[in-house]
Amino acid sequence: MEFTNESEKQQYYMEQCRQLIQAKEQKLGRKLTACVVTFGCQMNFKDSEKLLGILKQIGYEETDDEHADLVLYNTCTVRENANLKIYGRLGYLHKIKDKNPEMIIGLCGCMMQEPHVVEKLNKSYRFIDLIFGTHNVFILAELLYERLLTGHKVESIWDGTTEIVEDLPSIRKYDFKCGVNIMFGCNNFCTYCIVPYVRGRERSRDPEEIIKEIEALAADGVVEVMLLGQNVNSYGKTLEHPISFAELLRRVEQVEGVERIRFMTSHPKDLSDELIEVMAQSKKICKQMHLPLQSGSSRLLDRMNRHYTKEDYLLIVEKLRKAIPDIGLTTDIIVGFPGETEEDFEETLDVVSKVRYDSAFTFIYSKRSGTPAAEMENQVPESVIKERFDRLLKLINSISKEKTAVLEGTTQPVLVEEKNGKLEGYVSGRLSNNSVVHFPGCEQLIGKIVSVNLKEAKGFYYMGEMVE
Ligand code: 5AD
Ligand code: SF4
């Protein structure tokens, strides 16, 4: 077969799979189901929406139940814990497959880009039918077709790709908000991080394609978009006609129907004054930034290859707060990076006290084989890490509580996201700064932006009341 482009080729395979699935359905007298389970970050969630889009087009019915005809784990490998979780759950899947030998089990995502993982899977987890990686998510139909046709295990891992395939199906978990990839991969090689090895080099999507996608989403009722990239601040630098991230934001702002714009993740080293200016002037960009610190020690930041110092970071925060006084700031911090001393750790505590984050994700350093940090001397003993981690968490939590209390009693615009799972007759939504509020309301409000009085700050969230 000759195809003019990749998306046409994949459409062909989707159709081929659809016919095979239809025949199976007729034989069984029921619909076939597919379950995609996502581990890890927003990028993986977005990839899973694409995988589900393809599976739905093929004819599978989506389910959350892992007793499905096809189960796909979209894996994460950023920390060792993530990997251990997958191996544990595979044991559980194996038992399900014992009862349903026709079941297809697939694994994809970041873990699959590590050769030692695939080796282990091939040796000890032989019941897996489909293995592919992060670079070829878009060929799911082609791989599945081969599996359905031959009954053999299919494995396809690419080392990298320069290709960005547009115009493939994707489903949305929420009707009113959606993640939009603006770039793929990462070029930063922070010394602790496996991401550049498993997600490849940085590639930006064409701004025209991004805007086209957002216009279509807005026409379909989406009011909030989250622009996704490992380092959005370096967006566009490698395009044939380079544009800055700030310029992209200006263009997204023009899209009618879009009411809220978020983005992640920002790397402090590339955060420009132009971006701060655009955010300050914008009516749609949410007053929120996730700005990973990783460590407050300039000595460790250098060993982490982060390209900023403690002082640089604090200066950025000062500029942000000056231009956008009510901006919500969140961060990522690693405790126990090799060689971290008590003094280094105290520098981290110092930054946390000075910045006063709204919330922070804290991680215990995890050794990832193949990264430079894994080879570094002076790995910190577990007991020391644990003690530091607890101290850090205590400080972050007490600050978060105080920060949340500041808005108590005020009325804020809130995008209603879902029915509250615990409180009957309540819904939950988010403020511009990403804080969550629960308040009495009906399902019809989901996807709407309403005014809510924040009656009571409850530590990390609010209880509120809608204002007419
Ligand atoms: N160990 C611990 N945390 C890590 N992160 C990335 N790599 C590691 C690692 N090896 C954290 C960083 C990053 C977040 C997504 O995960 O803080 O910002
Ligand atoms: Fe990893 Fe650093 Fe790239 Fe983030 S910027 S994905 S921490 S290498």
Side-chain angles (χ1 to χ4, degrees):
M1 291 290 282
E2 291 275 326
F3 302 101
T4 52
N5 61 38
E6 186 62 37
S7 112
E8 194 184 298
K9 181 171 163 197
Q10 294 310 319
Q11 292 290 350
Y12 166 81
Y13 282 113
M14 280 184 253
E15 179 52 32
Q16 296 300 308
C17 285
R18 211 174 61 82
Q19 288 173 16
L20 294 178
I21 294 300
Q22 252 177 2
K24 262 198 171 178
E25 279 174 359
Q26 268 169 8
K27 208 171 97 196
L28 295 171
R30 63 171 176 88
K31 294 290 282 179
L32 292 188
T33 54
C35 170
V36 177
V37 186
T38 314
F39 300 85
C41 67
Q42 295 281 344
M43 288 285 177
N44 268 17
F45 275 89
K46 183 69 203 179
D47 281 348
S48 290
E49 290 191 346
K50 295 179 187 171
L51 292 164
L52 261 174
I54 294 171
L55 291 172
K56 274 196 149 173
Q57 185 149 333
I58 288 172
Y60 283 99
E61 220 159 65
E62 181 188 351
T63 172
D64 290 336
D65 186 348
E66 289 173 46
H67 294 78
D69 297 294
L70 186 154
V71 175
L72 194 54
Y73 279 0
N74 191 2
T75 63
C76 168
T77 187
V78 74
R79 285 169 292 276
E80 183 65 19
N81 274 352
N83 291 39
L84 296 176
K85 206 149 76 184
I86 297 288
Y87 291 125
R89 288 189 55 160
L90 279 175
Y92 166 68
L93 270 194
H94 195 186
K95 288 205 186 89
I96 302 180
K97 186 163 178 168
D98 274 345
K99 295 198 189 108
N100 175 13
E102 294 242 337
M103 176 185 185
I104 294 178
I105 297 179
L107 286 180
C108 63
C110 296
M111 246 175 104
M112 302 306 118
Q113 295 294 140
E114 294 180 281
H116 70 92
V117 170
V118 176
E119 212 172 283
K120 178 166 170 169
L121 292 173
N122 283 337
K123 208 162 131 207
S124 312
Y125 297 80
R126 302 174 66 106
F127 54 91
I128 295 165
D129 304 279
L130 207 57
I131 293 183
F132 56 102
T134 56
H135 302 297
N136 54 353
V137 167
F138 60 89
I139 67 165
L140 169 63
E142 189 176 342
L143 301 175
L144 185 61
Y145 181 61
E146 190 183 334
R147 169 64 186 75
L148 290 169
L149 216 57
T150 66
H152 298 154
K153 173 180 190 158
V154 177
E155 182 185 313
S156 172
I157 314 278
W158 295 0
D159 281 343
T161 182
T162 48
E163 200 161 14
I164 296 177
V165 180
E166 304 282 356
D167 298 328
L168 280 175
S170 175
I171 62 122
R172 292 204 310 273
K173 193 162 176 347
Y174 299 95
D175 290 334
F176 55 89
K177 68 171 184 178
C178 189
V180 175
N181 293 117
I182 63 166
M183 58 204 299
F184 302 91
C186 182
N187 280 354
N188 295 313
F189 290 97
C190 300
T191 53
Y192 50 81
C193 189
I194 192 98
V195 169
Y197 305 90
V198 296
R199 287 243 167 219
R201 294 295 63 72
E202 194 174 291
R203 306 172 301 285
S204 293
R205 275 178 81 193
D206 273 331
E208 290 76 22
E209 292 287 351
I210 296 171
I211 298 296
K212 207 169 82 186
E213 179 177 343
I214 296 176
E215 281 170 350
L217 289 170
D220 205 24
V222 167
V223 291
E224 178 177 306
V225 289
M226 163 83 93
L227 309 182
L228 297 171
Q230 302 295 351
N231 176 11
V232 291
N233 295 334
S234 71
Y235 170 80
K237 289 186 178 159
T238 51
L239 284 171
E240 199 183 328
H241 304 289
I243 78 162
S244 65
F245 178 54
E247 176 56 26
L248 178 72
L249 282 172
R250 276 193 202 102
R251 295 191 198 176
V252 176
E253 175 115 16
Q254 302 303 315
V255 178
E256 219 169 293
V258 169
E259 296 184 50
R260 281 186 167 183
I261 304 166
R262 298 186 192 276
F263 53 84
M264 73 185 305
T265 290
S266 282
H267 194 308
K269 82 179 164 67
D270 298 309
L271 199 147
S272 66
D273 291 345
E274 188 195 6
L275 173 64
I276 298 177
E277 200 184 303
V278 169
M279 283 184 81
Q281 285 167 3
S282 167
K283 293 206 168 46
K284 297 184 177 176
I285 302 172
C286 287
K287 300 198 177 326
Q288 174 219 350
M289 186 174 290
H290 184 65
L291 195 62
L293 167 69
Q294 313 300 6
S295 167
S297 153
S298 298
R299 189 183 77 85
L300 279 197
L301 287 168
D302 183 45
R303 284 165 58 104
M304 288 176 166
N305 194 31
R306 292 289 291 175
H307 297 282
Y308 56 86
T309 62
K310 174 185 180 186
E311 289 70 31
D312 296 335
Y313 188 95
L314 289 172
L315 186 67
I316 294 170
V317 170
E318 197 185 310
K319 282 195 211 165
L320 277 167
R321 286 247 163 87
K322 198 164 161 217
I324 314 152
D326 47 351
I327 190 168
L329 287 176
T330 56
T331 199
D332 292 340
I333 296 171
I334 298 176
V335 179
F337 183 81
E340 183 187 74
T341 62
E342 176 61 25
E343 289 72 40
D344 292 321
F345 178 66
E346 281 169 13
E347 298 275 16
T348 300
L349 294 179
D350 187 43
V351 176
V352 171
S353 304
K354 289 192 165 117
V355 175
R356 297 178 58 77
Y357 295 102
D358 292 74
S359 68
F361 298 94
T362 47
F363 304 107
I364 287 179
Y365 168 71
S366 171
K367 198 171 177 175
R368 307 315 287 130
S369 55
T371 62
E375 307 300 320
M376 287 181 188
E377 286 171 5
N378 300 325
Q379 303 275 334
V380 184
E382 225 177 284
S383 58
V384 176
I385 297 185
K386 180 85 185 51
E387 186 265 336
R388 287 181 190 161
F389 189 83
D390 290 347
R391 267 155 74 200
L392 176 64
L393 209 59
K394 232 169 150 181
L395 177 64
I396 289 170
N397 287 348
S398 76
I399 294 172
S400 300
K401 243 183 181 165
E402 287 170 20
K403 296 270 310 198
T404 315
V406 172
L407 290 182
E408 195 177 50
T410 65
T411 296
Q412 303 285 339
V414 168
L415 172 58
V416 186
E417 300 207 326
E418 56 202 1
K419 228 169 86 175
N420 191 292
K422 292 198 189 112
L423 292 168
E424 189 59 33
Y426 276 65
V427 288
S428 306
R430 282 179 193 273
L431 318 191
S432 174
N433 75 5
N434 214 27
S435 299
V436 173
V437 53
H438 309 293
F439 60 98
C442 58
E443 264 178 83
Q444 279 71 31
L445 293 174
I446 293 173
K448 299 209 163 67
I449 295 182
V450 296
S451 290
V452 176
N453 184 263
L454 308 176
K455 291 261 175 220
E456 201 186 346
K458 291 268 198 187
F460 306 102
Y461 64 93
Y462 301 93
M463 297 308 293
E465 203 173 270
M466 209 169 112
V467 182
E468 297 309 322

